Amino acid sequence: MSQTASKASGVLEKSGDANRWKALVFIALAQLMVVLDATIVNIALPSAQRDLGISDGNRQWVVTAYALAFGGLLLFGGRIADLWGRKRAFVIGLTGFA
């Protein structure tokens, strides 16, 4: 391999490494938002249970419905990412969620 090709390869490797760290930061932020959202739902659940008159047995149905809705929207988001592109769908999803 020539010296010029070696230098170009080194530049690409450094750029790819920076992009990997940037992607890791965005993925970590997205995971943090998901965990915070689930925590908020669990903290607000006793108050909602009192206000809506839901029994303790039916409280689990609220958590299950939330999880099913989240999973369904996650599948829908994956399909949108296939159509529009992953980065674009991710940014739109983060913006809408925030």
Side-chain angles (χ1 to χ4, degrees):
M1 183 154 64
S2 71
Q3 189 174 11
T4 307
S6 175
K7 286 181 183 177
S9 167
V11 170
L12 287 175
E13 287 175 14
K14 288 180 184 177
S15 174
D17 190 41
N19 288 337
R20 276 188 252 151
W21 284 108
K22 193 184 301 185
L24 180 63
V25 167
F26 282 116
I27 291 169
L29 286 173
Q31 181 64 33
L32 175 67
M33 291 170 71
V34 168
V35 169
L36 284 176
D37 188 46
T39 302
I40 290 168
V41 167
N42 284 321
I43 289 173
L45 197 54
S47 175
Q49 180 183 5
R50 270 193 315 275
D51 292 344
L52 298 173
I54 300 172
S55 69
D56 285 337
N58 288 334
R59 185 168 56 177
Q60 181 59 40
W61 285 104
V62 174
V63 175
T64 302
Y66 175 79
L68 284 172
F70 182 80
L73 289 172
L74 196 61
L75 289 170
F76 179 66
R79 179 65 180 142
I80 293 296
D82 287 342
L83 296 173
W84 292 351
R86 289 181 184 103
K87 183 178 179 181
R88 185 184 208 185
F90 184 71
V91 170
I92 290 170
L94 277 179
T95 304
F97 187 75

